[in-house]
Amino acid sequence: MSFENLKPEVLKIVRNSEISEKQRLTEVCNLLQTTIAYYDWVGFYFANYEGKTLHLETFAGLPTNHAVIPFGKGICGQVAESNANFVVPDVEAQDNYIACSISVKAEIVIPLFKNGKNIGQIDVDSNTIDPFTKEDEVFLVWLNEEVTKIL
C-alpha cells in the first residue's frame, strides 16, 4: 500500500474519538507495522523533561527492554536533544545506538512537536538495511502532525 493510500486509514484511526488517545496511537502503530513490509517495529515515545527521559507509550512488533531511554542515548535519545529527524540506514555504523533487537538493521526517528515543543517521537525499526526513503520521512512527518492534533 502506498503512503498516499495509507493517509485516509491513518486519519480514520486518529479521528476516532470513540477510543482513547493511547488506543488510537496503538492502532496507528499496528497499521504501519502490518501494512509496510519493512516496518518491523513501530512505537511512540514521549518525553519527560524533568527526568530527561523518553517513555514508550505504545508500539507494534516484538516487545523491547527499552521502555525508558535517557535523552542523548541511542537514536531516540539523540532526537530528543536535537529536535531533528534521524534516518539510520545501517545501525551497525552508529556509535551511539541502543540495540532493541539483534535483527534490527535500520531505524528512522521523527520528533513529535506540539506548540513548537518536542514532546516525543515515532520510532520505526527495520530488519532490512537501508530501506527508508525520503517518502518515508515525509509520510512520518505528516503522520506526526496529525497525531499531535489529538494530544
Side-chain angles (χ1 to χ4, degrees):
M1 182 178 287
S2 75
F3 290 124
E4 285 305 310
N5 290 339
L6 265 178
K7 285 182 177 182
E9 297 297 317
V10 168
L11 292 174
K12 182 177 167 185
I13 294 168
V14 171
R15 293 176 179 166
N16 183 0
S17 59
E18 294 181 11
I19 59 175
S20 70
E21 292 171 6
K22 184 174 181 175
Q23 184 60 37
R24 288 184 252 180
L25 294 177
T26 299
E27 288 189 19
V28 167
C29 291
N30 286 329
L31 174 69
L32 299 183
Q33 195 260 339
T34 59
T35 307
I36 303 171
Y38 54 94
Y39 280 29
D40 296 294
W41 189 93
V42 180
F44 283 99
Y45 284 91
F46 288 91
N48 173 325
Y49 279 94
E50 281 186 23
K52 294 201 175 284
T53 51
L54 293 165
H55 296 263
L56 183 61
E57 183 71 23
T58 63
F59 70 94
L62 295 175
T64 178
N65 292 330
H66 302 288
V68 178
I69 299 174
F71 283 16
K73 182 107 170 114
I75 307 308
C76 291
Q78 291 176 74
V79 169
E81 291 185 333
S82 72
N83 299 319
N85 300 346
F86 200 157
V87 181
V88 181
D90 182 355
V91 296
E92 288 188 21
Q94 287 293 315
D95 292 336
N96 188 4
Y97 174 70
I98 300 172
C100 290
S101 165
I102 60 169
S103 56
V104 175
K105 304 292 185 217
E107 183 171 11
I108 184 170
V109 180
I110 308 295
L112 275 162
F113 292 100
K114 180 82 173 178
N115 300 323
K117 183 177 182 178
N118 181 352
I119 62 166
Q121 54 202 232
I122 189 168
D123 178 18
V124 179
D125 293 342
S126 179
N127 298 342
T128 304
I129 290 180
D130 199 15
F132 303 115
T133 65
K134 188 67 178 170
E135 287 77 26
D136 291 275
E137 191 172 354
V138 168
F139 172 73
L140 292 170
V141 167
W142 171 86
L143 183 141
N144 278 0
E145 288 169 357
E146 294 302 320
V147 163
T148 57
K149 293 175 183 176
I150 67 165
L151 300 175

